[in-house]
Amino acid sequence: MEEYSYFDEDPKKGWGFILAFASLMLFTIMGLGIDVDEYLQHDYLNIPRWYFYVIFSIDILMMLSLVLMFFYKKIGIFTFPVLLVLHFFMHSYYLSTFLYTDVTNLFLFTGFGMLAIIPKWKFFK
């Protein structure tokens, strides 16, 4: 029986792939900007210093997982949404803030990101 493939067979990154990752990186950097702003106000807001070690580590790991996804590494696909949800819940629990950047980033990942990632899945290692 003839095998049908509905996805792009080319490992080359197209514009959709690049734009999906650029938008994911943009909203991740915007979340980092919010964390930097909170760090600059941590004395006024009474945020403990240990919180920033954790949240900045999560931000860096999120950017690293995006870079890993860009270079076709499966570990990046699995770690990014976990870190994103962890980042969102840390803001909700410790600071009582609802980050629209995290929610938008999650929608971008599940929507546009998956439209760009699923067709390239067999190239991921």
Side-chain angles (χ1 to χ4, degrees), residues 19-98:
L19 289 175
F21 285 108
S23 61
L24 288 169
M25 188 62 85
L26 174 70
F27 278 93
T28 303
I29 291 171
M30 288 171 62
L32 175 66
I34 292 170
D35 294 335
V36 169
D37 185 43
E38 289 172 348
Y39 176 73
L40 294 174
Q41 300 177 24
H42 76 278
D43 289 333
Y44 176 72
L45 299 174
N46 295 323
I47 304 171
R49 189 172 294 273
W50 65 266
Y51 173 81
F52 293 104
Y53 291 116
V54 174
I55 204 74
F56 285 136
S57 298
I58 291 172
D59 287 330
I60 290 168
L61 289 173
M62 283 172 58
M63 286 188 269
L64 179 66
S65 66
L66 283 173
V67 170
L68 288 172
M69 273 194 281
F70 188 78
F71 291 111
Y72 294 139
K73 303 295 180 190
K74 286 183 183 177
I75 189 73
I77 292 173
F78 297 122
T79 57
F80 181 75
V82 170
L83 291 168
L84 182 60
V85 169
L86 181 64
H87 188 266
F88 176 77
F89 283 134
M90 284 195 64
H91 272 273
S92 292
Y93 183 74
Y94 289 107
L95 302 180
S96 298
T97 56
F98 186 88

